[in-house]
């Protein structure tokens, strides 16, 4: 409770400081921001012939999550800046975030306790090196210091980060605090991106950015254990590498972008088929873990603005699926498509409405493991009648106060949760989200 008290005190102080707009702190030197998000989700009951240890509960459920983040940033010298984020999170996801690959609330994590915890989310240093004299204006924002930056630059970042801040970006489907809530819509599902249970890792990011082209490379830590919170600092044995190319373009004079992502994880993973060979009737992936195992995959990500208020997006991803999922979620293939619009047509330009469809699947090895009664860290019904998991999500976000307070109503329909046609549902999930930005 003492940690929570101090965190909330800092949050309130940052809010008061921002409201005062003190002249002693220049706009291009320091950055102070905060956010708080509360999500309540209610799931309908459904019928199923059997359930396992990691199944989505068949009973009606109601769960609430809360996160709050304090974003502190400072410019140091030309091109250099440092950022520190404290965060508090608590509550739970539906069925303790088990029984679905495409979990319904991107604000919840696979942690055992629902008690709010305070932790260090990000702490990193960035240095930009200009590659041209032309500059663009960067607005003040979360983990962003206001000022002019080179239009073309090379950047080096090191520290505790979230890989999702740098890779697989999308203007319409990225942030579960303001956009779609489902995990499979905030990132490419088959991208098993390096993170602890709360979504953060430590590593290095290299960036080459021009107005039309962006290249990024990263090497970072993976958890000691699958879905673990402690990271393995022995990079020679265990690490994640990511590379991405982004191309910005205009179609019909409207901006768009396409991104191509590749990744390679090396960790002490278990192999699905070898674990079945060791125990055909009750395989255990943990018993087969050994260093040197790898997982690799690819992702495509496209977005296009269609007119002044409407945009479209699509993602597709794949991984080899031979070894176990280590950090994100149990998806080996995924595809999503959707639309997002502002409320410009009804004179509420800061409102947002989104509609998306998402489907996810497994590799043959992963499917056979679950069919044999195996369990991952998210899935396991005891047996499996395989079918692709499918999600449709609709939301409307309404601005209550100017660029500060938003309330969102959302609906998700899930078919074949956990890839199991025997438990197909549909399952209906209704969400209320309250989001505050400072």
């Amino acid at each position: 409770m003492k940690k929570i008290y101090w965190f909330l005190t800092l949050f309130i102080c940052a809010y008061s400081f921002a409201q005062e707009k003190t002249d002693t702190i220049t706009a291009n030197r320091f950055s102070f921001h905060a956010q708080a998000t509360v999500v309540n989700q209610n799931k309908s009951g459904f019928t199923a012939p059997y359930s396992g240890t990691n199944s989505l509960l068949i009973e009606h459920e109601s769960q609430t999550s809360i996160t709050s983040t304090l974003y502190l940033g400072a410019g140091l010298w030309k091109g250099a800046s440092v950022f520190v984020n404290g965060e508090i999170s608590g509550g739970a996801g539906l069925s303790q975030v088990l029984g679905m690959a495409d979990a319904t609330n991107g604000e919840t994590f696979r942690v055992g306790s629902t008690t709010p915890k305070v932790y260090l989310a990000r702490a990193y240093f960035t240095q930009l090196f200009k590659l041209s004299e032309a500059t663009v204006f960067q607005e003040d924002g979360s983990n962003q210091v206001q000022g002019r930056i080179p239009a073309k630059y090379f950047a080096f970042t090191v520290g505790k980060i979230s890989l999702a801040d740098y890779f697989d970006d999308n203007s319409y489907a990225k942030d579960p605090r303001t956009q779609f809530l489902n995990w499979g819509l905030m990132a490419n599902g088959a991208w098993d991106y390096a993170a602890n249970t709360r979504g953060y890792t430590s590593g290095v990011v290299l960036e080459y950015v021009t107005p039309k082209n962006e290249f990024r490379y990263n090497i970072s830590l993976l958890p000691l254990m699958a879905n673990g919170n402690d990271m393995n600092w022995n990079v020679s044995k265990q690490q994640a590498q990511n590379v991405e190319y982004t191309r910005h373009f205009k179609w019909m004079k409207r901006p768009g972008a396409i991104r191509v992502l590749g990744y390679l994880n090396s960790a002490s993973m278990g192999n699905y088929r070898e674990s079945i060979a060791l125990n055909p009737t009750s395989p255990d992936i943990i018993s087969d873990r050994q260093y040197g195992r790898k997982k690799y995959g690819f992702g495509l990500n496209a977005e296009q603005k269609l007119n002044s208020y409407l945009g479209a997006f699509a993602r597709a991803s794949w991984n080899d699926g031979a070894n176990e999922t280590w950090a994100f979620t149990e998806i080996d293939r995924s595809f999503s498509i959707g639309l997002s619009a502002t409320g410009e047509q009804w004179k509420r330009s800061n409102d947002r409405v989104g509609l998306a469809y998402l489907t996810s699947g497994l590799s043959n090895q992963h499917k056979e493991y679950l069919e044999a009664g195996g369990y991952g860290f998210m899935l396991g019904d005891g047996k499996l009648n395989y079918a692709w998991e499918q999600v449709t999500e609709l939301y409307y976000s309404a601005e209550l106060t100017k660029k500060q307070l938003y309330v969102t109503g959302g609906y998700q329909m899930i078919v074949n949760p956990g890839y199991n046609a025997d438990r197909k549902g549909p399952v209906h999930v209704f969400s209320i989200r309250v989001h505050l930005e400072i």
Side-chain angles (χ1 to χ4, degrees):
M1 289 301 294
K2 188 174 181 180
K3 289 182 179 179
I4 297 171
Y5 168 80
W6 282 112
F7 184 88
L8 293 175
T9 300
L10 283 171
F11 186 100
I12 294 167
C13 288
Y15 176 78
S16 302
F17 190 85
Q19 294 299 95
E20 290 174 6
K21 299 179 181 177
T22 306
D23 290 334
T24 58
I25 303 298
T26 59
N28 60 356
R29 181 70 186 276
F30 293 96
S31 176
F32 298 88
H33 290 269
Q35 74 82 31
T37 305
V38 178
V39 178
N40 174 260
Q41 290 195 318
N42 283 269
K43 175 181 70 66
S44 66
F46 67 105
T47 59
Y50 54 86
S51 296
T53 303
N54 287 359
S55 292
L56 189 71
L57 298 177
I58 62 173
E59 298 87 2
H60 169 269
E61 284 187 85
S62 179
Q63 296 286 358
T64 300
S65 67
I66 180 171
T67 65
S68 185
T69 314
L70 183 62
Y71 303 95
L72 305 177
L76 303 178
W77 52 84
K78 194 166 185 177
S81 51
V82 63
F83 300 94
V84 176
N85 299 170
E87 195 160 73
I88 180 172
S89 70
L94 296 172
S95 302
Q96 299 299 311
V97 200
L98 298 173
M100 281 188 62
D102 296 295
T104 61
N105 182 359
E107 282 291 272
T108 57
F109 312 96
R110 298 176 299 274
V111 294
S113 173
T114 60
T115 305
K117 302 288 185 183
V118 176
Y119 51 90
L120 180 67
R122 300 174 182 86
Y124 62 92
F125 166 83
T126 297
Q127 175 71 61
L128 270 64
F129 301 91
K130 72 175 183 178
L131 300 176
S132 70
E133 294 302 321
T135 62
V136 294
F137 182 73
Q138 177 177 266
E139 293 185 354
D140 181 47
S142 300
N143 291 335
Q144 195 166 283
V145 177
Q146 180 173 304
R148 302 202 70 84
I149 63 171
K152 184 178 179 181
Y153 63 85
F154 172 78
F156 169 83
T157 299
V158 60
K160 188 172 185 182
I161 58 174
S162 169
L163 287 185
D165 293 343
Y166 300 90
F167 296 88
D168 200 23
D169 193 17
N170 194 285
S171 300
Y172 308 112
K174 176 72 172 180
D175 186 357
R177 292 170 179 168
T178 60
Q179 300 169 330
F180 296 97
L181 274 165
N182 194 281
W183 284 26
L185 294 171
M186 68 184 192
N188 262 310
W191 177 34
D192 192 16
Y193 72 88
N196 61 16
T197 54
R198 300 188 186 278
Y200 303 103
T201 184
S202 294
V204 175
V205 180
L206 305 179
E207 302 175 86
Y208 170 78
V209 177
T210 74
K212 289 188 176 180
N213 300 294
E214 299 176 9
F215 295 90
R216 290 181 175 85
Y217 170 78
N218 155 263
I219 183 167
S220 56
L221 304 182
L222 283 165
L224 277 165
M225 304 292 289
N227 185 40
N229 204 45
D230 296 325
M231 310 304 281
N232 190 337
W233 287 84
N234 189 342
V235 181
S236 64
K237 283 191 171 184
Q238 190 157 301
Q239 91 292 131
Q241 297 184 68
N242 298 269
V243 62
E244 185 179 61
Y245 168 65
T246 300
R247 173 68 176 181
H248 296 279
F249 56 84
K250 286 192 175 180
W251 178 71
M252 301 292 287
K253 298 183 180 180
R254 302 286 182 181
I258 186 165
R259 299 172 177 88
V260 182
L261 169 72
Y263 78 93
L264 175 66
N265 292 348
S266 179
S268 56
M269 305 173 191
N271 180 275
Y272 291 118
R273 284 190 171 153
E274 289 192 16
S275 67
I276 295 172
L278 290 171
N279 190 342
T281 58
S282 185
D284 179 10
I285 198 76
I286 296 174
S287 66
D288 184 55
R289 286 176 178 166
Q290 56 183 273
Y291 281 109
R293 298 263 173 80
K294 301 184 186 301
K295 181 183 288 290
Y296 64 90
F298 308 94
L300 294 174
N301 175 345
E303 61 178 81
Q304 178 63 54
K305 192 168 186 178
L306 302 177
N307 56 36
S308 62
Y309 61 89
L310 181 65
F313 70 91
R315 279 189 176 102
S317 59
W318 174 95
N319 68 53
D320 65 301
N323 299 317
E324 67 178 308
T325 301
W326 200 253
F328 184 38
T329 185
E330 294 192 59
I331 296 175
D332 301 320
R333 292 92 174 87
S334 71
F335 174 77
S336 63
I337 189 168
L339 296 168
S340 176
T342 67
E344 178 185 310
Q345 292 297 94
W346 50 96
K347 298 181 180 179
R348 291 191 56 87
S349 58
N350 290 326
D351 286 8
R352 191 190 301 268
V353 59
L355 175 65
Y357 171 77
L358 162 69
T359 185
S360 301
L362 296 175
S363 66
N364 287 333
Q365 302 97 310
H366 199 164
K367 174 173 69 74
E368 291 164 5
Y369 174 77
L370 294 176
E371 285 175 339
Y375 288 89
F377 61 72
M378 289 183 72
L379 301 181
D381 295 327
K383 52 183 176 178
L384 180 69
N385 179 13
Y386 178 70
W388 280 58
E389 188 173 273
Q390 301 178 58
V391 179
T392 302
E393 181 171 354
L394 171 69
Y395 77 88
Y396 187 96
S397 174
E399 180 190 61
L400 297 189
T401 62
K402 191 69 173 178
K403 295 185 178 181
Q404 276 197 330
L405 183 62
Y406 303 82
V407 174
T408 303
Y411 167 71
Q412 296 178 57
M413 182 178 72
I414 302 103
V415 178
N416 305 324
Y419 309 107
N420 200 336
D422 288 342
R423 299 168 49 83
K424 69 179 297 180
V427 179
H428 305 282
V429 176
F430 298 89
S431 306
I432 294 291
R433 176 179 63 202
V434 179
H435 175 68
L436 173 68
E437 295 180 358
I438 299 171

